């Protein structure tokens, strides 16, 4: 990995942990996360419009974009609720690791071998 790539990865990790810590320490985590999403969306809109204008988007992508928006909205709502009642040292690692642990399960259930792969490992 190049030095620039490592610096970007470490910088992103620090920024991510920082805004999560600020959300936890804030008086209203829901408002902080909402404003962070709104401001981030405003900042990224010109880039998205540029990409759409020059490259376009397939209409088949629309359901996936809508699903992504819904899932992220639920995630941030749940994260804010967890920060209101839970300790940062518990909520942050769970929120970061749970997605990585859950994501492979649904696709494997729709693969040719299906969920039998998971069931056979548990019964061994």
């Amino acid at each position: 990995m190049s030095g620039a790539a490592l610096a970007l990865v470490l910088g992103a990790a620090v920024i991510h942990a920082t805004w999560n810590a600020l959300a936890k320490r804030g008086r209203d985590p829901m408002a902080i996360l909402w404003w962070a999403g709104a401001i981030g969306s405003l900042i990224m809109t010109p880039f998205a419009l540029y990409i759409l204008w020059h490259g376009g988007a397939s209409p088949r992508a629309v359901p996936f974009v809508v699903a992504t928006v819904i899932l992220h909205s639920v995630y941030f709502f749940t994260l804010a609720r967890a920060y209101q009642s839970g300790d940062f040292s518990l909520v942050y690692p769970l929120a970061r690791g749970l997605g990585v642990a859950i994501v492979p399960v649904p696709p494997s259930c729709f693969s040719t071998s299906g969920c039998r792969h998971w069931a056979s490992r548990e019964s061994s």
Side-chain angles (χ1 to χ4, degrees):
M1 179 182 296
S2 71
L6 181 61
L8 286 172
V9 168
L10 292 176
V14 168
I15 290 169
H16 191 272
T18 301
W19 73 257
N20 273 273
L22 290 173
K24 171 60 181 163
R25 291 185 66 201
R27 190 173 44 209
D28 187 358
M30 192 76 68
I32 291 171
L33 293 175
W34 187 90
W35 278 108
I39 292 169
S41 296
L42 286 174
I43 291 170
M44 296 308 294
T45 296
F47 300 105
L49 292 176
Y50 176 82
I51 291 169
L52 287 173
W53 181 263
H54 290 286
S58 169
R60 296 183 338 194
V62 171
F64 296 99
V65 172
V66 171
T68 299
V69 168
I70 291 169
L71 287 171
H72 277 84
S73 298
V74 169
Y75 168 75
F76 282 112
F77 175 79
T78 307
L79 184 63
R81 295 289 304 235
Y83 279 152
Q84 288 173 341
S85 61
D87 188 36
F88 183 75
S89 63
L90 176 65
V91 173
Y92 183 74
L94 280 175
R96 297 306 310 143
L98 196 57
V100 176
I102 292 174
V103 164
V105 174
S108 69
C109 288
F110 295 110
S111 71
T112 56
S113 62
C115 288
R116 293 185 304 254
H117 172 74
W118 295 97
S120 65
R121 290 221 164 163
E122 290 179 7
S123 61
S124 307

